[in-house]
Amino acid sequence: MSKKNQNNTGCNFFNYSIEKNFNKAAKFISVDNGILDQIKECNSVYRMHFPVKIDKKIKIIKAYRVQHSHHKLPCKGGIRYSSKVNQDEIIALAALMTYKCAIMDVPFGGAKGGIKIDPQSTSKENIEKITRRYTYELIKKNFIGPGIDVPAPDYGTGEKEMSWILDTFTSLRPGDINALACVTGKPISQGGVRGRKEATGLGVFYGIKEFCSIKEEMSSIGLDVGISGKRIIIQGLGNVGYHTANFFYKSDAKIIALAEREGAIYNKNGLNVSKVISHLKNTGSILNFPDAVNIEKTEKALEIECDILIPAALENVIHKYNAHKINAKIIGEAANGPITHEADSILEKKGIVIIPDIYLNAGGVTVSYFEWLKNLSHVRYGRVEKKFSENMNGELLNIIETICKKTISEKEKKIILRGANEIDLVRSGLEDTMVSCFHKIRNLKKSLNIQNFRTTSFLLAINKIIDSYEKLGIFP
Ligand code: NAD
């Protein structure tokens, strides 16, 4: 392993963690090793340097777009802005996208992008300049487009950046009727889909909730069935972490600790998530929240005793130096790659159940897929059929009332008559995908007597990609 690619946990995220996980799963498959190598290898890496004038000086920006697999097109994956962005990390994240899409039956190859900047210390104007120039570079090399490669938000990016990407793309591709589908995670007014912003967090919630609803799983780790009252710790209060926290809070779970860059806060009786967010907005920090104690060293929050630990910030936060101190029954990987390969084995020996990133945080790409479909069909979900469903429900209700000689209240009528709108359809599609995929993974795990959900998830993904290559007729 090259020293250059090691981080402070002594782990090369891509070659070490993902490849090891892939190889563990591959042991259950008997195919030509060449096919496995083809699936594992990264197909294209575009590393770029481009100049941007910042504060009257020319600054050279380093950025990447990686397409890990072209077995299905377009490629799909977020773009992250961070001063820690490096090629190895982006390749790793692109690979995770390939496996994630395969598991969720989302018909894309995996991709990822990254720009090496610190978005916190870069002005909005400069982020816009850099984003537009990055998009221009992608267009120049044919690395973006509705049928080629479709970026989305990730760490350090959101709707704003996706709007700039769209605007740059459409101005350079005038008349492209499908241009809106060149990027997802856009604001609603720019062709976004309702429910995308919170999709990853909601997917995390649905996935963990499903696990917690199974008596056999919960009794094996000494917990009661259900979410209510479960003690939860969440690291990272950005897009994914905040929405995850909010959905659990609304389902009566106890959010006992929240961790951010500057420190963590703890209350054994549970934190009010919306009050913490107001406090964060007012003071710029989660620390000194009136109803909690501060934890100075933020990473120490991961070691507090809890039922469910949810890392939702960055990769490699649970490593060989702190894994033995983790005191949770379940770890839900909302972030990508939060547990290193060595830590994984330590946690498994401790009997901690890990619900892996390649399944658990795939709600984002699932709803991005819905957004892409919406953009290509040029119509909002529910627009065509909503009124028809309401009229049909009304007719049925009249018949039932006549037959039963009873009338129902106006409040009940409203519930029964309502046709589905976009957010209803997106959320039900997301829930259905998360729940059905969880059971596919669990059934495979049981049928092959596999120790953990991660190996099983990789196995499910690899099998689907092999099937896809075979049906393409590439391999004899
Ligand atoms: P984000 O930028 O919105 O939020 C990240 C949060 O983590 C920020 O609030 C940041 O301050 C906090 N953070 C940074 N370092 C920290 C530390 N050391 N301790 C505690 N908190 C820290 O990013 P996001 O979109 O929420 O992404 C978070 C993770 O989820 C990433 O691993 C990303 O790849 C993954 N993910 C995101 C999406 C998505 O739709 N955005 C989808 C799938 C996976």
Side-chain angles (χ1 to χ4, degrees):
M1 195 191 308
S2 84
K3 274 240 155 70
K4 203 177 91 208
N5 282 337
Q6 288 181 9
N7 60 23
N8 57 6
T9 58
C11 175
N12 173 319
F13 182 36
F14 182 57
N15 289 327
Y16 204 69
S17 289
I18 299 187
E19 190 161 333
K20 288 262 186 230
N21 288 325
F22 184 101
N23 292 344
K24 256 183 166 178
K27 285 191 186 136
F28 291 88
I29 304 169
S30 55
V31 285
D32 189 313
N33 279 345
I35 298 180
L36 293 173
D37 288 343
Q38 168 59 26
I39 294 171
K40 217 181 338 181
E41 284 304 325
C42 177
N43 290 176
S44 319
V45 178
Y46 178 23
R47 184 175 63 103
M48 62 202 100
H49 287 97
F50 51 82
V52 177
K53 203 166 191 180
I54 290 176
D55 305 329
K56 296 188 182 148
K57 284 197 180 119
I58 302 288
K59 202 171 167 216
I60 303 301
I61 305 291
K62 191 171 192 173
Y64 305 88
R65 184 69 187 173
V66 169
Q67 294 171 350
H68 172 261
S69 179
H70 294 143
H71 76 288
K72 288 204 191 268
L73 288 171
C75 294
K76 186 96 191 73
I79 299 178
R80 63 170 50 186
Y81 289 2
S82 156
S83 49
K84 292 190 180 140
V85 157
N86 62 72
Q87 185 168 310
D88 181 66
E89 174 197 53
I90 301 300
I91 293 176
L93 292 163
L96 286 180
M97 284 305 297
T98 295
Y99 308 130
K100 222 179 268 189
C101 291
I103 291 171
M104 306 308 272
D105 283 328
V106 167
F108 299 138
K112 204 80 182 185
I115 306 185
K116 195 173 165 55
I117 50 164
D118 176 10
Q120 298 216 309
S121 60
T122 312
S123 71
K124 191 177 159 205
E125 290 70 29
N126 288 333
I127 293 180
E128 177 175 354
K129 264 193 226 170
I130 294 166
T131 306
R132 287 183 181 279
R133 180 63 202 241
Y134 175 72
T135 312
Y136 177 71
E137 294 294 327
L138 296 180
I139 295 170
K140 255 190 355 192
K141 287 278 187 291
N142 216 15
F143 259 69
I144 184 170
I148 298 168
D149 188 347
V150 183
D154 190 66
Y155 185 89
T157 58
E159 289 187 340
K160 208 169 54 260
E161 288 76 13
M162 303 307 118
S163 285
W164 292 326
I165 292 173
L166 173 68
D167 188 51
T168 311
F169 185 85
T170 46
S171 42
L172 291 166
R173 291 267 194 275
D176 181 347
I177 196 169
N178 291 324
L180 276 182
C182 76
V183 63
T184 60
K186 305 178 291 286
I188 308 296
S189 62
Q190 302 301 308
V193 73
R194 286 161 186 82
R196 172 60 184 92
K197 211 194 280 183
E198 67 274 26
T200 309
L202 185 54
V204 170
F205 171 74
Y206 284 144
I208 295 177
K209 183 170 157 237
E210 198 54 27
F211 176 88
C212 292
S213 71
I214 301 169
K215 195 160 188 281
E216 193 188 337
E217 298 287 359
M218 293 300 267
S219 46
S220 74
I221 48 172
L223 290 177
D224 294 335
V225 165
I227 292 292
S228 177
K230 293 286 176 301
R231 296 163 307 158
I232 299 188
I233 296 174
I234 299 180
Q235 182 194 46
L237 263 185
N239 176 291
V240 179
Y242 162 65
H243 289 292
T244 302
N246 214 16
F247 286 113
F248 274 106
Y249 177 69
K250 285 184 185 154
S251 294
D252 289 332
K254 257 197 238 172
I255 311 292
I256 58 166
L258 289 167
E260 254 298 327
R261 290 169 202 265
E262 65 275 16
I265 50 172
Y266 171 72
N267 179 340
K268 71 173 175 23
N269 299 316
L271 299 156
N272 179 322
V273 173
S274 27
K275 284 191 180 163
V276 173
I277 295 299
S278 309
H279 175 79
L280 172 64
K281 280 187 185 147
N282 293 338
T283 66
S285 162
I286 59 168
L287 294 177
N288 304 320
F289 180 64
D291 243 0
V293 291
N294 288 342
I295 299 169
E296 227 172 272
K297 283 194 171 167
T298 186
E299 64 278 7
K300 284 282 162 200
L302 299 172
E303 297 166 15
I304 297 170
E305 188 190 340
C306 66
D307 299 316
I308 308 172
L309 172 63
I310 306 180
L314 280 172
E315 59 267 17
N316 297 335
V317 293
I318 302 177
H319 40 76
K320 62 180 175 188
Y321 304 113
N322 66 358
H324 59 283
K325 295 185 198 157
I326 301 294
N327 222 332
K329 297 275 171 65
I330 301 167
I331 302 180
E333 291 187 320
N336 282 311
I339 300 175
T340 67
H341 187 70
E342 292 101 333
D344 218 27
S345 316
I346 299 170
L347 298 168
E348 197 175 314
K349 280 190 197 121
K350 281 169 71 98
I352 298 174
V353 173
I354 297 166
I355 310 184
D357 48 6
I358 53 169
Y359 156 69
L360 195 64
N361 70 29
V365 72
T366 304
V367 175
S368 272
Y369 171 45
F370 299 159
E371 182 175 332
W372 182 76
L373 292 173
K374 173 185 179 178
N375 295 152
L376 294 177
S377 61
H378 301 270
V379 64
R380 185 185 73 231
Y381 287 104
R383 178 170 175 180
V384 178
E385 65 276 32
K386 184 170 188 281
K387 193 66 199 159
F388 177 78
S389 307
E390 287 176 352
N391 290 343
M392 282 304 291
N393 293 347
E395 300 272 350
L396 274 172
L397 195 60
N398 285 342
I399 296 169
I400 293 166
E401 280 185 332
T402 314
I403 293 170
C404 300
K405 296 189 177 62
K406 271 187 181 168
T407 49
I408 65 161
S409 72
E410 281 307 309
K411 197 176 160 198
E412 288 162 333
K413 213 177 239 178
K414 226 173 156 184
I415 296 169
I416 296 169
L417 294 189
R418 197 171 79 88
N421 54 32
E422 187 165 84
I423 188 79
D424 302 319
L425 294 167
V426 165
R427 287 200 173 167
S428 72
L430 174 61
E431 183 172 10
D432 182 51
T433 310
M434 291 305 300
V435 170
S436 62
C437 288
F438 176 76
H439 288 284
K440 276 183 206 159
I441 298 167
R442 185 168 180 266
N443 291 342
L444 183 65
K445 180 175 177 286
K446 282 183 96 174
S447 70
L448 295 178
N449 203 13
I450 300 175
Q451 283 296 308
N452 60 62
F453 285 98
R454 192 187 310 282
T455 304
T456 321
S457 303
F458 267 89
L459 177 60
L460 184 66
I462 299 167
N463 276 336
K464 287 194 180 181
I465 301 168
I466 291 174
D467 186 56
S468 168
Y469 272 124
E470 279 173 354
K471 302 241 159 81
L472 261 177
I474 290 182
F475 301 121

